[in-house]
Amino acid sequence: QVQLVESGGGLVQPGGSLRLSCAASGRFFSINDMAWYRQAPGKERELVASITSGGSTNYADSVKGRFTISRDYAKNTVYLQMNSLKPEDTAVYYCNADGRYYSGNSYVAWGPGTQVAVSS
């Protein structure tokens, strides 16, 4: 199985910054795309940013220009640098990854989530 563990969440004032990290571990052949999702209270989970195995990135319109997703392929880790944070960025942030096991079967994995709160 693939395990994803997020870190870096917390409480920050509006305009502040946080950096989230997510490390993948376990027995797997490959990781293709990695992504960050978030879910605010009473709302559906939404895609924040994604990065492919080739390094192509995609962002939600609401975070473009403020958030940056990056990846350390050697460490099987994905990061989310969040700048100019707003109260509406408050949510539980989830890491997501997909790929293949050595058997050839595909997988989709989720982390347990990390809380980000933006408040003065």
Side-chain angles (χ1 to χ4, degrees), residues 37-41 45 89-94 112-116:
Y37 287 74
R38 67 185 180 187
Q39 187 167 18
R45 190 173 298 190
D89 294 317
T90 296
V92 177
Y93 284 69
Y94 296 92
T114 185
Q115 177 71 53
V116 171

Side-chain angles (χ1 to χ4, degrees), residues 1-119:
Q1 285 189 337
V2 178
Q3 292 84 41
L4 301 178
V5 178
E6 303 103 337
S7 60
L11 174 64
V12 64
Q13 293 186 342
S17 299
L18 282 175
R19 188 190 193 211
L20 305 182
S21 300
C22 171
S25 63
R27 283 185 55 82
F28 50 87
F29 176 73
S30 67
I31 300 177
N32 295 333
D33 298 349
M34 299 189 81
W36 289 96
Y37 287 74
R38 67 185 180 187
Q39 187 167 18
K43 294 188 177 181
E44 293 187 354
R45 190 173 298 190
E46 63 174 356
L47 176 67
V48 176
S50 64
I51 184 166
T52 69
S53 57
S56 296
T57 58
N58 180 54
Y59 296 92
D61 288 342
S62 59
V63 306
K64 283 181 181 177
R66 300 188 297 123
F67 291 10
T68 302
I69 190 170
S70 61
R71 189 167 165 178
D72 186 327
Y73 294 88
K75 295 182 179 179
N76 293 324
T77 300
V78 64
Y79 305 96
L80 186 67
Q81 178 66 44
M82 305 185 294
N83 298 329
S84 302
L85 282 161
K86 305 175 181 180
E88 50 264 44
D89 294 317
T90 296
V92 177
Y93 284 69
Y94 296 92
C95 179
N96 168 274
D98 64 78
R100 291 200 176 273
Y101 293 112
Y102 287 101
S103 65
N105 293 335
S106 61
Y107 67 82
V108 177
W110 290 90
T114 185
Q115 177 71 53
V116 171
V118 184
S119 175

